[in-house]
Amino acid sequence: MAYRHFLSLMDLSKDELQQLIARAIELKTQKTIYEPLKNKVAGMVFEKSSTRTRVSFETAMAQCGGSAIFLSPRDTQLGRGESIEDMARVLSSMVDCIIVRTDAHDKIEKFAEYSVKPVINALTDLHHPCQLLADVQTYVEHRGSIQGKKVAWIGDGNNMCHSYMEAAHQFDFELVIAHPVGYEPDANLLNKFKDHVRLSHNPEQAVTDADLISTDVWASMGQEQEQTERAKIFAAYQVNNKLMSLAKSDALFMHCLPAHRGEEVTADIIDGNQSVVWNQAGNRLHSQKALLEFLLA
Ligand code: CP
Ligand code: NVA
């Protein structure tokens, strides 16, 4: 049987992504019991911490009639050195999809190579595509189509930034990335998506007339030892009132969370009336239901 993986936003066509967002918005209003994943089981291999991604996938599976098994490396043989190839073959012979959160992106690619069921990227060091489904859904709910809009990414050229670059191409918006020297996004991705993405070292310029401002922590998971150094380097890249006032008056603020108030964003912005972060977080559930339905049902 043919199956699809979702390792990055490029694994779906533009039309499929548009349909998925529309479906997520529709599923959010579903009031009656709807169980397209009855008896389906997701295996969740998480090598990094998670609140939103874990809970949204487990809840999505349960509400759609299926179930999920959370597998931390501490509890599986993966943590004792069993190979990814063997883990993928064995798990995929039992469960209906494998949801993976790990560090190196080539680890999830290996999972997908050896799995005979869909593999979903729940975050790697290179991408966080599930978060972008929720971000685009949230934008569409508040402002309509994101096509042709100006989005400013402020801060690190990290996994979230890379998924924004793919989203800019797939959903056809303009992305300006303001980042400190030495923290640029992946050069290959930049080259691939240069029609939609440009870099800047000037956050003020980047946010001017933006429709959406998005940011993320300055030190991602695995970079905890760089936290102090990064706090100094990124200080000029804080999303605060001054920066936000340069964007369009109806601009939205997003953050994938978890957030560090007083670092990448001030409390008055993330807790203010242009911020949609709670809807954005909640939409992880609905957009991932749509994704699971697309891949499994
Ligand atoms: N935004 C996000 O992926 O959050 P978690 O790390 O809590 O899953
Ligand atoms: N860039 C962050 C995203 C967390 C959801 C990290 O990788 O830790």
Side-chain angles (χ1 to χ4, degrees):
M1 195 185 125
Y3 53 87
R4 306 268 297 271
H5 299 305
F6 185 62
L7 305 191
S8 95
L9 289 175
M10 302 308 286
D11 286 329
L12 267 61
S13 70
K14 292 177 185 184
D15 282 351
E16 286 169 339
L17 285 170
Q18 291 292 349
Q19 282 162 23
L20 204 142
I21 299 300
R23 183 67 180 144
I25 292 169
E26 192 175 53
L27 284 171
K28 193 171 175 176
T29 63
Q30 182 81 32
K31 294 281 180 274
T32 52
I33 291 175
Y34 172 63
E35 298 187 324
L37 305 179
K38 188 113 188 119
N39 297 323
K40 302 269 189 207
V41 179
M44 299 180 51
V45 181
F46 274 45
E47 297 195 283
K48 287 182 172 185
S49 306
S50 171
T51 302
R52 283 145 285 268
T53 309
R54 175 181 178 174
V55 175
S56 53
F57 269 118
E58 290 195 24
T59 304
M61 286 305 298
Q63 290 182 349
C64 290
S67 59
I69 306 172
F70 186 79
L71 300 157
S72 85
R74 212 182 46 231
D75 308 316
T76 64
Q77 300 291 4
L78 196 59
R80 294 184 57 253
E82 186 169 19
S83 73
I84 289 171
E85 294 91 318
D86 291 357
M87 179 86 172
R89 282 188 278 231
V90 172
L91 264 188
S92 68
S93 73
M94 299 175 188
V95 302
D96 299 283
C97 78
I98 307 179
I99 303 167
V100 179
R101 172 169 281 204
T102 189
D103 39 32
H105 193 74
D106 58 8
K107 284 166 90 174
I108 202 170
E109 286 177 337
K110 192 165 267 185
F111 247 107
E113 187 184 341
Y114 287 88
S115 169
V116 293
K117 302 284 169 53
V119 173
I120 296 174
N121 183 354
L123 181 146
T124 63
D125 290 346
L126 194 65
H127 288 294
H128 194 8
C130 291
Q131 181 67 53
L132 261 292
L133 298 178
D135 289 22
V136 174
Q137 178 187 347
T138 307
Y139 189 89
V140 172
E141 285 175 347
H142 285 86
R143 297 283 182 265
S145 172
I146 198 166
Q147 184 176 24
K149 301 293 180 187
K150 179 178 178 185
V151 178
W153 174 264
I154 307 299
D156 195 13
N158 64 10
N159 45 9
M160 275 297 300
C161 178
H162 295 151
S163 287
Y164 261 95
M165 292 165 79
E166 291 196 337
H169 172 84
Q170 294 290 63
F171 292 98
D172 192 21
F173 59 81
E174 176 195 358
L175 179 67
V176 186
I177 299 165
H179 66 90
V181 176
Y183 296 87
E184 16 311 280
D186 181 88
N188 290 330
L189 291 175
L190 191 60
N191 188 42
K192 196 166 163 190
F193 302 121
K194 57 179 181 292
D195 288 351
H196 287 87
V197 180
R198 69 193 155 86
L199 302 187
S200 165
H201 296 309
N202 184 330
E204 283 81 18
Q205 257 171 23
V207 300
T208 297
D209 292 329
D211 298 283
L212 167 64
I213 297 181
S214 188
T215 190
D216 188 8
V217 289
W218 290 337
S220 286
M221 288 183 276
Q223 298 170 334
E224 289 78 6
Q225 73 293 349
E226 298 173 34
Q227 173 70 41
T228 312
E229 188 195 355
R230 281 171 172 260
K232 287 185 209 136
I233 294 168
F234 282 82
Y237 292 79
Q238 182 186 65
V239 181
N240 50 32
N241 243 319
K242 190 169 155 247
L243 206 63
M244 203 72 204
S245 70
L246 298 171
K248 286 203 180 126
S249 58
D250 68 344
L252 299 177
F253 172 76
M254 292 193 195
H255 190 311
C256 62
L257 307 177
H260 292 174
R261 286 173 177 75
E263 292 183 24
E264 74 274 8
V265 62
T266 53
D268 54 348
I269 292 299
I270 194 168
D271 299 320
N273 57 17
Q274 285 174 278
S275 171
V276 290
V277 297
W278 312 121
N279 191 23
Q280 181 191 0
N283 279 340
R284 297 293 303 276
L285 174 64
H286 311 293
S287 53
Q288 285 160 205
K289 273 186 187 171
L291 175 68
L292 289 164
E293 183 188 58
F294 174 81
L295 293 174
L296 302 184

